[in-house]
Amino acid sequence: MTLAEKVYVLLRRDIVSGALPGGQPLRLEPLRQRYGAGFSPLREALNRLQAERLVVQAPLRGFSVAPISRAEMWDAIETRITIEVEALRRAIARGDDGWEARIVGAFHALSRQSARMGPRDQPGGEIHQALEARHRAFHRALIDACGSPRLLDYAERLHAETERYRLPVLAGDGAGAARDVPGEHRALMEAALARGANQAAALLAAHYRRTGAALEAQFADSPAPAKPETA
Amino acid sequence: MTLAEKVYVLLRRDIVSGALPGGQPLRLEPLRQRYGAGFSPLREALNRLQAERLVVQAPLRGFSVAPISRAEMWDAIETRITIEVEALRRAIARGDDGWEARIVGAFHALSRQSARMGPRDQPGGEIHQALEARHRAFHRALIDACGSPRLLDYAERLHAETERYRLPVLAGDGAGAARDVPGEHRALMEAALARGANQAAALLAAHYRRTGAALEAQFADSPAPAKPETA
DNA sequence: TAAACCGTGATTTTCGAAAATCTGATTGCG
DNA sequence: CGCAATCAGATTTTCGAAAATCACGGTTTA
């Protein structure tokens, strides 16, 4: 693995996790020290991330982390729904026994790790990171049999974009208020295994929209959503 | 505009037009002479193109133009249909008078340039390039009011990917055999203006699938689609 | 006073050399 | 004779310096 690729992975993780918050300028000298790489691999990684909408570049004024906003969050979520619903429909139409088995397996692993999470586990901790990995693996397993490398690619990118809004919020406490996420996952799995395309699609869309609604709180204060009146 | 960005635009054009054919290794020293740039801007451009699926990188073995194949072509086309149909539905739901006006205008400009094309115009010539630009502008105008920067982004990328299969074929003669492309465009425009979402979606999908079918001929010989039998 | 002009320092961008790695052919050995 | 090890040339990747550009504060001028 080349150094440029390592830096790409690290930078991506730091942006998605929120360690590098939206809008933050990415000056090259500090990045050089942080990631122990020269200008070339750094700039290569930044250019790749720019193509993924995680970084923006202002010519001759450098890079910065792509800003976040309510509108951007919803666009990422709704686009993700468009992509993943289509992929899910195709997977339901094409998936074989192996596809079903991997869904069941991924759901089981997710449930186990979910049970392992205590209320005192850090959002960045090892237990939680494993949970995130299995959550991602479950959603990926659902659409894995869709047969389209591009849909899977876009799904992966939109996953990263939406995680930028979810992961930092987990630090707060009242995140999953009155919501049965494992139940949603189970219903989704059962609809997929029963080949109920319409129902699975509706469940998947509702799942992501509910997450989005729960994440709206973080925008409650400054970047106003509605029309300005007095100020 | 930085040098890296210029190189990106040039490289992209050369790949989409087929001047750099699929699979061709992109050695850095020749690229350096061809585009008059050092390693850094070249590699930055290549990294961006890699994220757009126009270039592939083998670590420590350099870059090459993303290979083309029947399967890749259809994946690009079907993904494009998924994206643009969704964007078109949203545009039809949201578009205002300005959206309608831009569609009518783009269609008019496209028709004019289409009439201007004689049978002796080169595929790379100025007249034909203007036609391509207006064709692209028309399809873009249809979905411009969708309100989603990501859908428009993906549509743009998939447009580039599919053009890789269409542009080189235009050099041959029997391309648009027995096909009324302007008529398809007109029907599409009329369905969009009439806010017939389902019909417009069907017309758009058929439009792209028909193009794909016409482009299948180029794979007739060597990269076989079905199972190999004797050889 | 306000606006335009110009240094100065910081930052990005680009360059070409140096280091690291791969490819292919040759040699040596069992 | 076959196969592993080795070497030379080609290529990619990385580095840090040099060039280009920007931001900003001070100065001059109308």
Side-chain angles (χ1 to χ4, degrees), chain B residues 46-62:
Chain B
L46 289 167
N47 271 280
R48 285 178 65 178
L49 292 166
Q50 183 195 16
E52 296 183 29
R53 284 184 163 267
L54 293 177
V55 157
V56 295
Q57 180 178 25
L60 293 179
R61 243 171 282 178

Side-chain angles (χ1 to χ4, degrees), chain A residues 62-163:
Chain A
F63 299 87
S64 51
V65 181
I68 65 175
S69 71
R70 189 190 303 252
E72 284 293 310
M73 181 188 81
W74 279 114
D75 187 43
I77 290 175
E78 290 295 335
T79 306
R80 189 182 182 195
I81 290 172
T82 296
I83 295 290
E84 289 205 22
V85 160
E86 174 67 18
L88 182 57
R89 287 183 182 279
R90 294 195 204 175
I92 286 174
R94 302 173 76 255
D96 58 3
D97 290 355
W99 169 67
E100 293 189 3
R102 281 188 293 275
I103 292 175
V104 173
F107 177 78
H108 179 79
L110 173 59
S111 302
R112 276 297 171 92
Q113 194 67 15
S114 192
R116 201 165 287 143
M117 274 284 289
R120 218 160 315 291
D121 275 310
Q122 320 282 350
E126 200 173 331
I127 303 245
H128 175 256
Q129 278 198 335
L131 179 68
E132 289 299 336
R134 294 186 180 186
H135 186 207
R136 179 172 161 279
F138 172 70
H139 279 283
R140 165 74 185 221
L142 284 171
I143 62 176
D144 224 358
C146 76
S148 167
R150 281 167 184 77
L151 287 181
L152 292 175
D153 226 55
Y154 291 158
E156 166 57 33
R157 287 189 191 183
L158 292 164
H159 169 76
E161 284 200 75
T162 52
E163 286 299 270

Side-chain angles (χ1 to χ4, degrees), chain A residues 19-39:
Chain A
L20 295 172
Q24 172 157 120
L26 296 168
R27 301 270 160 60
L28 288 173
E29 191 50 44
L31 292 184
R32 210 156 85 102
Q33 299 192 336
R34 175 166 188 160
Y35 299 106
F39 293 120

Side-chain angles (χ1 to χ4, degrees), chain B residues 2-4 32 38 40-41 60-61:
Chain B
T2 67
L3 183 52
R32 211 158 87 101
S40 302
L60 293 179
R61 243 171 282 178

Side-chain angles (χ1 to χ4, degrees), chain A residues 2-4 32 37-41 60-61:
Chain A
T2 67
L3 184 52
R32 210 156 85 102
F39 293 120
S40 302
L60 292 178
R61 242 171 283 180

Side-chain angles (χ1 to χ4, degrees), chain B residues 12-117:
Chain B
R12 191 177 201 266
R13 192 213 314 267
D14 286 344
I15 292 172
V16 171
S17 74
L20 295 172
Q24 173 155 121
L26 296 168
R27 301 270 160 62
L28 290 173
E29 191 50 44
L31 291 183
R32 211 158 87 101
Q33 299 192 336
R34 175 167 189 161
Y35 298 107
F39 294 120
S40 302
L42 270 176
R43 292 181 62 84
E44 288 182 29
L46 289 167
N47 271 280
R48 285 178 65 178
L49 292 166
Q50 183 195 16
E52 296 183 29
R53 284 184 163 267
L54 293 177
V55 157
V56 295
Q57 180 178 25
L60 293 179
R61 243 171 282 178
F63 299 87
S64 51
V65 181
I68 67 176
S69 70
R70 189 191 301 253
E72 283 294 310
M73 180 188 82
W74 279 114
D75 188 42
I77 289 175
E78 289 296 335
T79 306
R80 189 181 182 196
I81 290 172
T82 296
I83 295 289
E84 289 205 23
V85 159
E86 173 68 18
L88 181 57
R89 287 183 181 279
R90 295 196 203 175
I92 287 173
R94 303 172 78 253
D96 59 4
D97 290 356
W99 170 69
E100 293 188 3
R102 281 188 293 275
I103 291 176
V104 174
F107 177 78
H108 180 79
L110 173 60
S111 303
R112 276 298 171 92
Q113 193 68 16
S114 192
R116 201 165 288 144
M117 273 283 289

